[in-house]
Amino acid sequence: MTPAGPHAVDAPGPDVVVITVTYDAADLVADCLRGLEGQELGDVRMEVVVVDNASSDGTADLVARDFPGVRLARSVRNLGFAAGNNLALRDVRAPYVILLNNDAVPDPGFVAALVAAARQADDDVAAVAARVLLSQRFRRVPAETAGAVHGPDGAWLPDDDGEDRLVNSTGNLVRADGFGLDRGWLADATRHHPAPDVFGFSGAAVLLRTAALREVGLFDERLFMYYEDTDLSWRLRRAGYRITYCEDAVASHLHSATTGEGSAFFRFHDARNRLVVVTKNASAGLAVRCVARFALTTASITLRGREPWRGRRGVIAVRLRALGSYVALLPHALRERRRIARSAQVTARAVESQLSPPGTGTDSGLRSGASGAVDTGTAARRETKR
């Protein structure tokens, strides 16, 4: 970490700035920062910034007291993931910036590996996605085992004494029906070695080229959280940039520790933001199909659902609220759509040729809630990110 002190102004600027946004998660962010303190940087100069989203649990005081080399940005209110990161991103002058979730702990070579990959990449590479593994350990079990989670390589049970690691994300995919996925979700980490090129990045752990951000813009703050990384990835693709993956940059992620992916909060933002993102970035045909399908499915659940009304009521209420909020954001989404189209170097249809088939991730990986099958943290901590 870049030290503070009277001579810091004379020191060369950092090569990379690491940003983590946090809200009421003092214990989580402390583990994250200890991981950053242990980085084997070589010749890489690193600065760390923590954005505290008006925590009430003493997070800001802990960071200031225990991590004096960290630059602390205190927000007066909870800005969410998108605006929280933007608060720090606007001041970054380094060539690279790394976003790291407050509930992720990087391996010692994490930062150096991402910076090395970016330095070696072509100029059209705007982002380098890290290898994000679930913090929880697992053991392989028969498929019919009660409580097992199922991934592409088998069935698993969480086990603190287990030796198996499962993948959280090696970048993001988007299906041709507009759903976002974590590539590699619940895959056996020893067997998942995907191609370096990937449609998008996960905001849990990624390096971004700041020059590309200045060109396409920062996160869409109207989204608050969820799908904001997919939105930025899509905009980078429309601007002619590529996104790659670095196998050697590993972080362990306490998945869903801060929001709880089965919560109404998650389901509302996930559904609404998916519709906003496809409206902004996709071809008109895909955007209309996605919105129409969501509205028709909501109507079908309301009128002909197989479950008793009491069981459907909560789901319907969230979907209707998401649809209403989408309509309220539609003028913003259409303005952004026109802005993106004016400066785009790649057509919407050309980018859509890189989307995954509709059936991809049917059993695992969907950002619409399937990933909530693994409870690896406390769902009570909300409104920070994933």
Side-chain angles (χ1 to χ4, degrees):
M1 300 185 186
T2 301
H7 302 295
V9 69
D10 299 323
D15 299 304
V16 61
V17 175
V18 182
I19 298 172
T20 186
V21 177
T22 191
Y23 172 72
D24 278 356
D27 54 340
L28 296 179
V29 78
D31 288 341
C32 175
L33 294 177
R34 280 190 284 269
L36 290 171
E37 281 187 329
Q39 290 298 293
E40 298 167 355
L41 294 171
D43 64 347
V44 176
R45 298 185 302 274
M46 176 184 73
E47 180 184 24
V48 177
V49 180
V50 170
V51 177
D52 181 64
N53 266 337
S55 296
S56 59
D57 68 344
T59 293
D61 292 337
L62 178 145
V63 172
R65 181 186 69 243
D66 294 348
F67 302 94
V70 170
R71 182 156 62 88
L72 178 62
R74 300 176 188 246
S75 174
V76 297
R77 60 186 179 88
N78 185 1
L79 298 173
F81 178 83
N85 272 293
N86 286 354
L87 183 67
L89 283 169
R90 292 188 183 95
D91 295 329
V92 172
R93 297 295 178 264
Y96 308 114
V97 60
I98 291 174
L99 308 184
L100 184 64
N101 263 25
N102 66 339
D103 53 1
V105 178
D107 281 8
F110 171 81
V111 170
L114 284 176
V115 172
R119 286 172 170 171
Q120 296 165 12
D122 294 335
D123 291 342
D124 67 342
V125 172
V128 182
R131 181 176 180 83
V132 185
L133 305 181
L134 294 173
S135 298
Q136 176 71 59
R137 263 58 175 180
F138 295 82
R139 59 182 172 88
R140 187 186 293 272
V141 295
E144 64 274 12
T145 303
V149 296
H150 297 83
D153 303 313
W156 315 84
L157 270 181
D159 186 341
D160 290 342
D161 297 321
E163 298 182 355
D164 297 317
R165 302 290 305 275
L166 301 184
V167 173
N168 181 167
S169 177
T170 55
N172 288 351
L173 305 176
V174 177
R175 293 193 332 194
D177 56 5
F179 282 94
L181 310 90
D182 284 309
R183 185 174 69 167
W185 171 247
L186 295 184
D188 183 343
T190 63
R191 299 177 61 179
H192 182 69
H193 303 287
D197 193 64
V198 63
F199 182 85
F201 64 84
S202 166
V206 62
L207 177 145
L208 298 168
R209 195 185 296 269
T210 52
L213 293 179
R214 285 192 290 270
E215 180 179 341
V216 305
L218 304 179
F219 289 113
D220 185 344
E221 299 184 5
R222 303 289 185 95
L223 300 179
F224 192 75
M225 59 191 299
Y226 298 117
Y227 271 92
E228 68 293 289
D229 45 9
T230 298
D231 173 61
L232 182 52
S233 298
W234 211 324
R235 285 188 279 130
L236 287 167
R237 288 282 181 182
R238 289 293 306 275
Y241 286 105
R242 293 187 297 122
I243 296 162
T244 62
Y245 157 68
C246 179
E247 179 100 357
D248 297 329
V250 180
S252 297
H253 186 204
L254 195 63
H255 189 75
S256 295
T258 49
T259 58
E261 291 204 354
S263 68
F265 176 89
F266 166 79
R267 288 183 282 114
F268 165 75
H269 285 89
D270 185 82
R272 182 200 66 180
N273 291 354
R274 178 172 63 87
L275 300 180
V276 172
V277 168
V278 295
T279 299
K280 287 174 57 178
N281 296 285
S283 65
L286 176 56
V288 169
R289 287 195 300 273
C290 288
V291 175
R293 184 184 299 112
F294 185 85
L296 290 172
T297 301
T298 302
S300 177
I301 295 171
T302 303
L303 299 174
R304 300 196 302 272
R306 296 179 180 178
E307 296 182 9
W309 172 252
R310 179 176 297 180
R312 289 180 284 145
R313 184 169 53 190
V315 173
I316 294 167
V318 170
R319 292 180 70 94
L320 289 175
R321 190 160 66 92
L323 193 58
S325 184
Y326 164 73
V327 171
L329 286 176
L330 188 56
H332 161 75
L334 293 175
R335 285 194 301 271
E336 285 295 289
R337 179 182 179 86
R338 291 189 290 269
R339 183 187 66 82
I340 292 166
R342 282 196 298 270
S343 59
Q345 301 298 309
V346 181
T347 66
R349 291 194 178 276
V351 172
E352 284 169 22
S353 69
Q354 303 170 49
L355 302 185
S356 301
T360 305
T362 299
D363 297 323
S364 63
L366 277 177
R367 297 195 142 209
S368 57
S371 52
V374 179
D375 179 13
T376 59
T378 55
R381 289 195 183 96
R382 301 184 185 275
E383 301 178 18
T384 300
K385 169 94 173 17
R386 292 174 188 76

